[in-house]
């Protein structure tokens, strides 16, 4: 096509054919490059989705182990924060206080499930329901990084620097401590769409 265009470029009938051929070739080239870009993007999305699924399966395994450790140790989440929230709501809500405290009571009920709530969170991680899984693991555990750090700081203030060693040993050697660490790791590993 291009040789014919160069050779016959002074002929008007061939000039129109030459332009049409060039336009078709450019359209085909653009179409091919667009398809190539689309395939690359699809591969990247697929790889990203696969990595996310692998992370979520790992988070599910870690959270499941955490839940089992909580069940074996007899761990129960601290309900004091829920009771405090319930008291404050009752004080401020007045006549509708019995309805205002219902969500807090539901959270307290889930927290009492402890290891079972964490295991349900693990199942949600495995099914890629990350946000609800993280919420259940967090409520079932009753602790997170901030709570661990606050407990550590409060212990140091009350008992001195020697408390750090005792707390770390407890955290890394008891079933409850390991359950807390695993639940924190599971929430960190679980990956929503990024």
């Amino acid at each position: 096509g291009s040789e014919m265009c160069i050779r016959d470029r002074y002929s008007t009938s061939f000039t129109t054919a030459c332009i049409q051929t060039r336009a078709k070739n450019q359209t085909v080239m653009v179409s091919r490059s667009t398809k190539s870009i689309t395939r690359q993007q699809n591969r990247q999305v697929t790889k990203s989705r696969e990595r996310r699924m692998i992370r979520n399966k790992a988070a599910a395994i870690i959270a499941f182990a955490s839940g089992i450790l909580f069940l074996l140790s007899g761990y129960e989440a601290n309900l004091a924060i829920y009771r405090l929230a319930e008291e404050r709501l009752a004080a401020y809500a007045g006549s509708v206080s019995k309805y205002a405290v219902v969500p807090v009571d539901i959270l307290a009920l889930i927290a009492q499930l402890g290891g079972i709530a964490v295991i349900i969170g693990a199942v949600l991680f495995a099914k890629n329901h990350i946000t609800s899984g993280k919420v259940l693991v967090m409520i079932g555990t009753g602790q997170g990084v901030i709570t661990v750090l606050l407990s550590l700081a409060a212990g140091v203030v009350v008992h001195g620097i020697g408390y750090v060693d005792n707390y770390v040993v407890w955290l890394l050697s008891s079933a409850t401590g390991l359950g807390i660490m695993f639940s924190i790791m599971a929430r960190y590993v679980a990956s929503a769409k990024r």
Side-chain angles (χ1 to χ4, degrees), residues 10-150:
Y10 298 108
S11 167
T12 56
S13 62
F14 287 111
T15 303
T16 306
C18 177
I19 292 170
Q20 289 174 350
T21 303
R22 285 185 180 163
K24 284 181 185 176
N25 287 341
Q26 288 176 351
T27 303
V28 168
M29 286 174 38
V30 168
S31 175
R32 286 181 185 158
S33 67
T34 305
K35 286 180 183 177
S36 175
I37 290 170
T38 304
R39 283 188 202 121
Q40 289 174 352
Q41 288 172 340
N42 285 342
R43 276 188 230 123
Q44 288 174 347
V45 167
T46 302
K47 286 181 182 178
S48 174
R49 190 175 298 139
E50 287 172 357
R51 280 191 296 259
R52 211 172 33 250
M53 289 177 67
I54 290 169
R55 285 180 65 106
N56 294 341
K57 301 293 182 205
I61 292 167
I62 295 168
F64 186 79
S66 173
I68 295 297
L69 287 168
F70 285 142
L71 290 175
L72 291 176
S73 69
Y75 174 77
E76 293 179 11
N78 186 356
L79 299 179
I81 189 75
Y82 299 106
R83 297 300 158 235
L84 180 65
E86 194 174 71
E87 289 172 13
R88 293 290 150 216
L89 275 173
Y92 291 115
S95 63
V96 293
S97 65
K98 64 181 177 181
Y99 302 112
V101 296
V102 169
V104 175
D105 288 340
I106 291 171
L107 290 175
L109 178 67
I110 293 170
Q112 287 176 348
L113 294 174
I116 294 171
V118 174
I119 290 172
I120 294 170
V123 171
L124 291 172
F125 284 154
K127 295 189 175 277
N128 290 320
H129 298 288
I130 305 309
T131 304
S132 52
K134 284 183 177 184
V135 168
L136 272 177
V137 169
M138 181 179 61
I139 293 171
T141 303
Q143 295 195 29
V145 173
I146 294 172
T147 312
V148 168
L149 292 176
L150 288 175

